[in-house]
Amino acid sequence: MARSVAAKKSVKPAKPSYVLDEQVGFILRQVWQRHSAIFARDIGTNLTPTQWAALSKLAETGPCSQNQLGRLTAMDVATIKGVIDRLSARGLTETSQDPEDGRRLVVSLTRAGQQLAEKVAPNALAITRETLAPLDAKERELLMVLLNKLR
């Protein structure tokens, strides 16, 4: 009997039709986890990736509605509201009523928010460089083209 158990153990199972390590979502999550660890280590201030996305987009575009900022940063309504609430509590953003539509909130950077965005931008660029460091220049360019096609 022991012999038949040993024989069964030596039989390699057939490859399953679904192998997690070969799935794009799983690989993207692992890459995101690596990038997030680099971000947390190197951003140089107490900002989350979503907070940095909001700050950097406001620095890029200037004031805009909270809903528009959510769309520009790929955040849903509840997420962008929480991000802006936390940034405003830190004195980095402020909201005001849109003079053309009182139902809409306009978000803008405060002076401190603008200064922080300018200070942190070099760190964020370095984080991107480190995330992409395993790739050569042509591979980095191709990866960005392919990722943009998947958006």
Side-chain angles (χ1 to χ4, degrees):
M1 183 145 175
R3 188 174 172 163
S4 65
V5 171
K8 287 181 183 178
K9 285 185 179 180
S10 66
V11 175
K12 189 173 182 178
K15 182 179 177 185
S17 61
Y18 186 93
V19 177
L20 182 63
D21 289 343
E22 297 173 358
Q23 304 310 309
V24 67
F26 183 68
I27 294 167
L28 287 172
R29 185 166 59 84
Q30 289 178 313
V31 171
W32 172 249
Q33 288 170 335
R34 180 175 165 268
H35 174 75
S36 294
I38 295 166
F39 182 93
R41 184 192 70 209
D42 294 348
I43 196 63
T45 188
N46 186 24
L47 287 174
T48 66
T50 53
Q51 290 170 348
W52 171 243
L55 280 179
S56 65
K57 186 53 79 172
L58 285 170
E60 178 186 335
T61 65
C64 66
S65 76
Q66 187 167 290
N67 284 341
Q68 176 68 10
L69 183 60
R71 286 190 295 277
L72 293 172
T73 57
M75 291 183 231
D76 61 39
V77 173
T79 302
I80 193 64
K81 181 186 182 324
V83 167
I84 295 305
D85 287 350
R86 286 184 288 283
L87 291 173
S88 292
R90 292 176 60 183
L92 300 173
T93 60
E94 58 191 6
T95 58
S96 59
Q97 297 292 13
D98 184 333
E100 296 175 17
D101 183 347
R103 299 168 296 174
R104 190 178 335 179
L105 280 181
V106 175
V107 182
S108 56
L109 292 176
T110 62
R111 182 178 305 251
Q114 182 66 41
Q115 290 171 342
L116 184 63
E118 291 169 8
K119 177 183 170 189
V120 172
N123 298 12
L125 289 168
I127 290 164
T128 296
R129 281 192 302 274
E130 183 168 343
T131 298
L132 298 175
L135 307 176
D136 66 32
K138 285 189 179 203
E139 290 170 328
R140 288 190 297 271
E141 184 179 331
L142 178 58
L143 176 65
M144 295 306 293
V145 167
L146 295 174
L147 288 173
N148 277 304
K149 278 182 98 168
L150 292 175
R151 278 185 168 173

